[in-house]
């Protein structure tokens, strides 16, 4: 995470943010800093090994998540320490109800991490979080804080995999990433669906370059300008853009082929410096728009 970039974007949004949005932005600003600090500590221990691995390009081009080739080894004690710090921050700063904050503070993360499938966490971060959520036995000790604890896990796994994700992407060749190949539909590093999409400045005849962003591991990758981020349909007739009046920078791309939507930020219309971690926070609003029945035409 680039904290300077995050600060510029958060600072710009704070200038005219409503109080509840401002509180969210400040919360995430603090969380990102904590995650990056912890990530630097872990990398200092040799956590993010250099990646001289064969077959990265082939994996990239055949939709095999790079973490399957090169999993991150996550040590239970380290993971517990990360969770503890994030949970303490959330209990203090996330505006949780008192009983939830208390339950979150009482979770024994050492015990949890000893039982958790950290091999899965280092291979498939969002699959790990989903597996814990779905497993009553694993989620039982979270008590009243189950929802918040699952978020702690997602933030913690990201902290442990983001440095490796970055070096894996650096190790993929420019030809695989930018050459004349179909782009990976899901995150090439961890396999999760993109959380949002970015269309760059439209300075060419084809329009701005598009990239996808994965908040599970922090990876950004090149993507086709006209394509559904969920099912991969490239039929222009299936794809539509919508935005809330007065905010053309933040749009929803809907797809008739699969019925899903994706959040897309347009750099040309954005009044602040783009930072996709921050956009992910800002665009959470659009999920509510997407659920609004008035949004669905017919
Ligand atoms: Zn990812
Ligand atoms: Zn689709």
């Amino acid at each position: 995470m680039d904290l300077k970039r995050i600060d510029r974007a958060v600072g710009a949004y704070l200038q005219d943010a409503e109080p509840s949005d401002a509180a969210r932005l400040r919360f995430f600003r603090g969380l990102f800093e904590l995650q990056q600090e912890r990530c630097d500590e872990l990398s200092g221990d040799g956590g993010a090994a250099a990646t001289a691995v064969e077959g990265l390009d082939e994996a990239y081009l055949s939709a095999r998540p790079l973490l399957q080739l090169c999993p991150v080894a996550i040590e239970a004690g380290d993971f517990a320490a990360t969770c503890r710090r994030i949970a303490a921050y959330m209990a203090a700063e996330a505006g949780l109800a008192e009983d939830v904050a208390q339950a979150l503070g009482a979770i024994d993360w050492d015990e949890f991490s000893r039982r958790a499938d950290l091999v899965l966490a280092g291979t498939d971060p969002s699959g790990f979080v989903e597996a814990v959520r779905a497993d009553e036995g694993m989620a039982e000790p979270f008590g009243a804080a189950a929802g918040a604890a699952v978020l702690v896990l997602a933030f913690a796994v990201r902290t442990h995999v983001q440095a490796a994700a970055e070096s894996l992407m650096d190790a993929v060749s420019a030809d695989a990433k930018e050459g004349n190949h179909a782009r990976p539909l899901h995150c090439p590093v961890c396999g999760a669906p993109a959380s949002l999409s970015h269309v760059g400045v439209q300075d060419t005849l084809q329009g701005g370059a598009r990239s996808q962003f994965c908040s599970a591991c922090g990876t950004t990758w090149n993507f086709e300008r006209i394509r559904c981020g969920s099912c991969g349909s490239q039929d222009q007739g299936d794809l539509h853009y919508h935005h809330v009046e007065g905010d053309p920078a933040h749009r929803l791309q809907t797809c008739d082929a699969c019925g899903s939507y994706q959040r897309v930020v347009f750099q040309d219309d954005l009044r602040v410096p783009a930072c996709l971690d921050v956009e992910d926070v800002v665009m959470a609003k659009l999920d509510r728009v997407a659920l609004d029945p008035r949004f669905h035409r017919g």
Side-chain angles (χ1 to χ4, degrees):
M1 286 177 182
D2 181 342
L3 291 176
K4 285 206 184 96
R5 206 182 172 97
I6 287 171
D7 272 345
R8 276 199 300 272
V10 168
Y13 275 119
L14 281 177
Q15 283 176 10
D16 53 4
E18 289 169 25
S20 61
D21 294 337
R24 261 176 68 76
L25 281 164
R26 289 202 184 89
F27 168 79
F28 276 97
R29 164 70 184 82
L31 175 70
F32 294 151
E33 186 172 19
L34 193 166
Q35 285 177 297
Q36 190 54 51
E37 235 175 61
R38 179 70 180 136
C39 175
D40 290 343
E41 276 175 32
L42 292 162
S43 305
D45 295 347
T51 42
V53 181
E54 296 273 316
L56 285 178
D57 280 7
E58 289 78 356
Y60 188 93
L61 293 173
S62 63
R64 181 171 178 212
L66 302 180
L67 282 178
Q68 284 185 13
L69 224 68
C70 235
V72 177
I74 301 177
E75 204 265 308
D78 286 343
F79 190 69
T82 308
C83 291
R84 237 184 334 267
R85 265 203 240 174
I86 293 174
Y89 177 73
M90 279 183 68
E93 306 290 340
L96 301 171
E98 205 169 314
D99 60 323
V100 174
Q102 233 164 42
L104 191 62
I107 294 171
D108 182 344
W109 292 105
D110 281 306
E111 165 68 11
F112 170 85
S113 302
R114 271 194 297 275
R115 294 191 300 127
D117 184 353
L118 296 180
V119 173
L120 181 61
T123 313
D124 177 1
S126 48
F128 165 76
V129 175
E130 244 347 280
V132 173
R133 193 207 303 269
D135 182 333
E136 280 175 31
M138 283 305 289
E140 195 265 322
F142 298 160
V150 166
L151 285 177
V152 169
L153 290 176
F155 299 145
V157 194
R158 160 83 187 261
T159 307
H160 281 260
V161 301
Q162 65 185 17
E166 201 179 329
S167 24
L168 282 167
M169 281 298 278
D170 285 347
V172 173
S173 74
D175 174 64
K177 288 185 282 198
E178 291 150 29
N180 190 20
H181 314 280
R183 309 302 189 199
L185 181 58
H186 291 153
C187 175
V189 172
C190 78
S195 4
L196 61 87
S197 190
H198 175 263
V199 174
V201 174
Q202 320 227 12
D203 54 359
T204 63
L205 285 176
Q206 306 98 298
R210 180 174 175 192
S211 50
Q212 303 293 82
F213 173 69
C214 170
S215 61
C217 73
T219 296
T220 302
W221 71 99
N222 295 333
F223 201 62
E224 290 85 354
R225 180 74 168 77
I226 297 167
R227 190 178 180 199
C228 170
S230 296
C231 73
S233 169
Q234 292 184 274
D235 186 336
Q236 191 149 17
D238 284 343
L239 301 167
H240 315 279
Y241 278 111
H242 314 263
H243 63 84
V244 178
E245 213 182 311
D247 186 10
H250 298 111
R251 306 186 200 175
L252 290 171
Q253 183 185 47
T254 58
C255 171
D256 296 340
C258 69
S260 71
Y261 72 91
Q262 181 165 49
R263 303 174 302 172
V264 187
V265 51
F266 279 75
Q267 190 60 51
D268 269 348
D269 297 303
L270 200 64
R271 291 167 298 122
V272 304
C275 168
L276 297 186
D277 274 304
V278 174
E279 289 302 324
D280 199 25
V281 174
V282 170
M283 291 178 88
K285 268 185 179 172
L286 282 183
D287 291 326
R288 292 200 289 278
V289 175
L291 290 172
D292 188 322
R294 284 170 300 179
F295 168 76
H296 300 280
R297 301 164 311 156

